[in-house]
PDB file of all heavy atoms in Angstrom:
ATOM      1  N   THR A 274      -3.969   9.591 -18.313  1.00  0.00           N
ATOM      2  CA  THR A 274      -5.256   9.411 -17.628  1.00  0.00           C
ATOM      3  C   THR A 274      -6.064   8.272 -18.250  1.00  0.00           C
ATOM      4  O   THR A 274      -5.865   7.943 -19.427  1.00  0.00           O
ATOM      5  CB  THR A 274      -6.124  10.690 -17.728  1.00  0.00           C
ATOM      6  OG1 THR A 274      -6.756  10.700 -19.017  1.00  0.00           O
ATOM      7  CG2 THR A 274      -5.323  11.957 -17.543  1.00  0.00           C
ATOM      8  N   PRO A 275      -7.000   7.718 -17.502  1.00  0.00           N
ATOM      9  CA  PRO A 275      -7.892   6.694 -18.073  1.00  0.00           C
ATOM     10  C   PRO A 275      -8.653   7.222 -19.288  1.00  0.00           C
ATOM     11  O   PRO A 275      -8.811   6.494 -20.274  1.00  0.00           O
ATOM     12  CB  PRO A 275      -8.850   6.369 -16.919  1.00  0.00           C
ATOM     13  CG  PRO A 275      -8.084   6.707 -15.678  1.00  0.00           C
ATOM     14  CD  PRO A 275      -7.234   7.897 -16.048  1.00  0.00           C
ATOM     15  N   HIS A 276      -9.107   8.503 -19.267  1.00  0.00           N
ATOM     16  CA  HIS A 276      -9.911   8.970 -20.410  1.00  0.00           C
ATOM     17  C   HIS A 276      -9.086   9.148 -21.675  1.00  0.00           C
ATOM     18  O   HIS A 276      -9.595   8.963 -22.771  1.00  0.00           O
ATOM     19  CB  HIS A 276     -10.744  10.229 -20.078  1.00  0.00           C
ATOM     20  CG  HIS A 276     -10.029  11.341 -19.379  1.00  0.00           C
ATOM     21  ND1 HIS A 276     -10.002  11.468 -18.012  1.00  0.00           N
ATOM     22  CD2 HIS A 276      -9.325  12.388 -19.860  1.00  0.00           C
ATOM     23  CE1 HIS A 276      -9.305  12.556 -17.689  1.00  0.00           C
ATOM     24  NE2 HIS A 276      -8.889  13.129 -18.789  1.00  0.00           N
ATOM     25  N   HIS A 277      -7.785   9.463 -21.543  1.00  0.00           N
ATOM     26  CA  HIS A 277      -6.952   9.553 -22.753  1.00  0.00           C
ATOM     27  C   HIS A 277      -6.677   8.170 -23.345  1.00  0.00           C
ATOM     28  O   HIS A 277      -6.310   8.062 -24.514  1.00  0.00           O
ATOM     29  CB  HIS A 277      -5.632  10.273 -22.445  1.00  0.00           C
ATOM     30  CG  HIS A 277      -5.795  11.755 -22.292  1.00  0.00           C
ATOM     31  ND1 HIS A 277      -5.930  12.366 -21.069  1.00  0.00           N
ATOM     32  CD2 HIS A 277      -5.894  12.745 -23.212  1.00  0.00           C
ATOM     33  CE1 HIS A 277      -6.091  13.668 -21.245  1.00  0.00           C
ATOM     34  NE2 HIS A 277      -6.076  13.927 -22.537  1.00  0.00           N
ATOM     35  N   LEU A 278      -6.821   7.134 -22.535  1.00  0.00           N
ATOM     36  CA  LEU A 278      -6.587   5.769 -23.032  1.00  0.00           C
ATOM     37  C   LEU A 278      -7.864   5.129 -23.563  1.00  0.00           C
ATOM     38  O   LEU A 278      -7.829   4.263 -24.425  1.00  0.00           O
ATOM     39  CB  LEU A 278      -6.012   4.905 -21.894  1.00  0.00           C
ATOM     40  CG  LEU A 278      -4.640   5.368 -21.404  1.00  0.00           C
ATOM     41  CD1 LEU A 278      -4.296   4.712 -20.075  1.00  0.00           C
ATOM     42  CD2 LEU A 278      -3.570   5.061 -22.448  1.00  0.00           C
ATOM     43  N   PHE A 279      -9.001   5.547 -23.027  1.00  0.00           N
ATOM     44  CA  PHE A 279     -10.280   4.920 -23.414  1.00  0.00           C
ATOM     45  C   PHE A 279     -10.895   5.603 -24.629  1.00  0.00           C
ATOM     46  O   PHE A 279     -11.466   4.944 -25.501  1.00  0.00           O
ATOM     47  CB  PHE A 279     -11.250   4.977 -22.228  1.00  0.00           C
ATOM     48  CG  PHE A 279     -12.490   4.148 -22.428  1.00  0.00           C
ATOM     49  CD1 PHE A 279     -12.512   2.802 -22.062  1.00  0.00           C
ATOM     50  CD2 PHE A 279     -13.636   4.702 -22.982  1.00  0.00           C
ATOM     51  CE1 PHE A 279     -13.652   2.032 -22.242  1.00  0.00           C
ATOM     52  CE2 PHE A 279     -14.784   3.935 -23.173  1.00  0.00           C
ATOM     53  CZ  PHE A 279     -14.787   2.597 -22.800  1.00  0.00           C
ATOM     54  N   PHE A 280     -10.780   6.923 -24.689  1.00  0.00           N
ATOM     55  CA  PHE A 280     -11.446   7.677 -25.761  1.00  0.00           C
ATOM     56  C   PHE A 280     -10.425   8.240 -26.758  1.00  0.00           C
ATOM     57  O   PHE A 280      -9.265   8.490 -26.409  1.00  0.00           O
ATOM     58  CB  PHE A 280     -12.213   8.876 -25.179  1.00  0.00           C
ATOM     59  CG  PHE A 280     -13.382   8.494 -24.306  1.00  0.00           C
ATOM     60  CD1 PHE A 280     -13.364   8.792 -22.943  1.00  0.00           C
ATOM     61  CD2 PHE A 280     -14.492   7.850 -24.839  1.00  0.00           C
ATOM     62  CE1 PHE A 280     -14.442   8.446 -22.130  1.00  0.00           C
ATOM     63  CE2 PHE A 280     -15.576   7.512 -24.034  1.00  0.00           C
ATOM     64  CZ  PHE A 280     -15.543   7.806 -22.674  1.00  0.00           C
ATOM     65  N   SER A 281     -10.881   8.470 -27.984  1.00  0.00           N
ATOM     66  CA  SER A 281     -10.121   9.290 -28.934  1.00  0.00           C
ATOM     67  C   SER A 281     -11.074  10.383 -29.403  1.00  0.00           C
ATOM     68  O   SER A 281     -12.266  10.364 -29.062  1.00  0.00           O
ATOM     69  CB  SER A 281      -9.635   8.456 -30.121  1.00  0.00           C
ATOM     70  OG  SER A 281     -10.728   8.183 -30.974  1.00  0.00           O
ATOM     71  N   ASP A 282     -10.567  11.317 -30.217  1.00  0.00           N
ATOM     72  CA  ASP A 282     -11.447  12.415 -30.634  1.00  0.00           C
ATOM     73  C   ASP A 282     -12.586  11.930 -31.551  1.00  0.00           C
ATOM     74  O   ASP A 282     -13.535  12.673 -31.786  1.00  0.00           O
ATOM     75  CB  ASP A 282     -10.651  13.586 -31.249  1.00  0.00           C
ATOM     76  CG  ASP A 282      -9.920  13.221 -32.526  1.00  0.00           C
ATOM     77  OD1 ASP A 282      -9.874  12.021 -32.868  1.00  0.00           O
ATOM     78  OD2 ASP A 282      -9.381  14.142 -33.182  1.00  0.00           O
ATOM     79  N   LYS A 283     -12.483  10.673 -32.010  1.00  0.00           N
ATOM     80  CA  LYS A 283     -13.602  10.095 -32.776  1.00  0.00           C
ATOM     81  C   LYS A 283     -14.875  10.028 -31.926  1.00  0.00           C
ATOM     82  O   LYS A 283     -15.992  10.032 -32.445  1.00  0.00           O
ATOM     83  CB  LYS A 283     -13.266   8.666 -33.216  1.00  0.00           C
ATOM     84  CG  LYS A 283     -12.368   8.584 -34.434  1.00  0.00           C
ATOM     85  CD  LYS A 283     -12.548   7.210 -35.102  1.00  0.00           C
ATOM     86  CE  LYS A 283     -11.813   7.153 -36.423  1.00  0.00           C
ATOM     87  NZ  LYS A 283     -10.471   6.605 -36.289  1.00  0.00           N
ATOM     88  N   ASP A 284     -14.684   9.909 -30.604  1.00  0.00           N
ATOM     89  CA  ASP A 284     -15.842   9.779 -29.706  1.00  0.00           C
ATOM     90  C   ASP A 284     -16.527  11.121 -29.427  1.00  0.00           C
ATOM     91  O   ASP A 284     -17.566  11.148 -28.769  1.00  0.00           O
ATOM     92  CB  ASP A 284     -15.393   9.173 -28.364  1.00  0.00           C
ATOM     93  CG  ASP A 284     -14.839   7.776 -28.546  1.00  0.00           C
ATOM     94  OD1 ASP A 284     -15.600   6.915 -29.018  1.00  0.00           O
ATOM     95  OD2 ASP A 284     -13.651   7.556 -28.255  1.00  0.00           O
ATOM     96  N   ILE A 285     -15.936  12.200 -29.893  1.00  0.00           N
ATOM     97  CA  ILE A 285     -16.485  13.527 -29.583  1.00  0.00           C
ATOM     98  C   ILE A 285     -17.413  13.969 -30.711  1.00  0.00           C
ATOM     99  O   ILE A 285     -17.019  13.977 -31.876  1.00  0.00           O
ATOM    100  CB  ILE A 285     -15.344  14.555 -29.406  1.00  0.00           C
ATOM    101  CG1 ILE A 285     -14.431  14.106 -28.253  1.00  0.00           C
ATOM    102  CG2 ILE A 285     -15.888  15.960 -29.142  1.00  0.00           C
ATOM    103  CD1 ILE A 285     -13.212  14.958 -28.045  1.00  0.00           C
ATOM    104  N   ASP A 286     -18.658  14.295 -30.349  1.00  0.00           N
ATOM    105  CA  ASP A 286     -19.567  14.777 -31.404  1.00  0.00           C
ATOM    106  C   ASP A 286     -19.955  16.244 -31.185  1.00  0.00           C
ATOM    107  O   ASP A 286     -20.802  16.784 -31.905  1.00  0.00           O
ATOM    108  CB  ASP A 286     -20.813  13.880 -31.515  1.00  0.00           C
ATOM    109  CG  ASP A 286     -21.663  13.913 -30.241  1.00  0.00           C
ATOM    110  OD1 ASP A 286     -21.374  14.751 -29.354  1.00  0.00           O
ATOM    111  OD2 ASP A 286     -22.600  13.109 -30.129  1.00  0.00           O
ATOM    112  N   GLY A 287     -19.342  16.847 -30.202  1.00  0.00           N
ATOM    113  CA  GLY A 287     -19.583  18.284 -29.995  1.00  0.00           C
ATOM    114  C   GLY A 287     -20.799  18.574 -29.143  1.00  0.00           C
ATOM    115  O   GLY A 287     -21.069  19.740 -28.849  1.00  0.00           O
ATOM    116  N   THR A 288     -21.522  17.538 -28.728  1.00  0.00           N
ATOM    117  CA  THR A 288     -22.698  17.810 -27.888  1.00  0.00           C
ATOM    118  C   THR A 288     -22.349  17.738 -26.403  1.00  0.00           C
ATOM    119  O   THR A 288     -22.596  18.692 -25.675  1.00  0.00           O
ATOM    120  CB  THR A 288     -23.870  16.846 -28.203  1.00  0.00           C
ATOM    121  OG1 THR A 288     -23.391  15.512 -28.090  1.00  0.00           O
ATOM    122  CG2 THR A 288     -24.423  17.090 -29.591  1.00  0.00           C
ATOM    123  N   SER A 289     -21.754  16.612 -25.959  1.00  0.00           N
ATOM    124  CA  SER A 289     -21.469  16.490 -24.526  1.00  0.00           C
ATOM    125  C   SER A 289     -20.153  17.164 -24.168  1.00  0.00           C
ATOM    126  O   SER A 289     -19.070  16.723 -24.576  1.00  0.00           O
ATOM    127  CB  SER A 289     -21.412  15.026 -24.100  1.00  0.00           C
ATOM    128  OG  SER A 289     -20.933  14.976 -22.775  1.00  0.00           O
TER     129      SER A 289
END
Side-chain angles (χ1 to χ4, degrees):
T274 81
H276 47 267
H277 285 97
L278 296 166
F279 190 88
F280 294 114
S281 74
D282 64 351
K283 280 202 172 93
D284 297 299
I285 300 175
D286 64 9
T288 54
S289 171

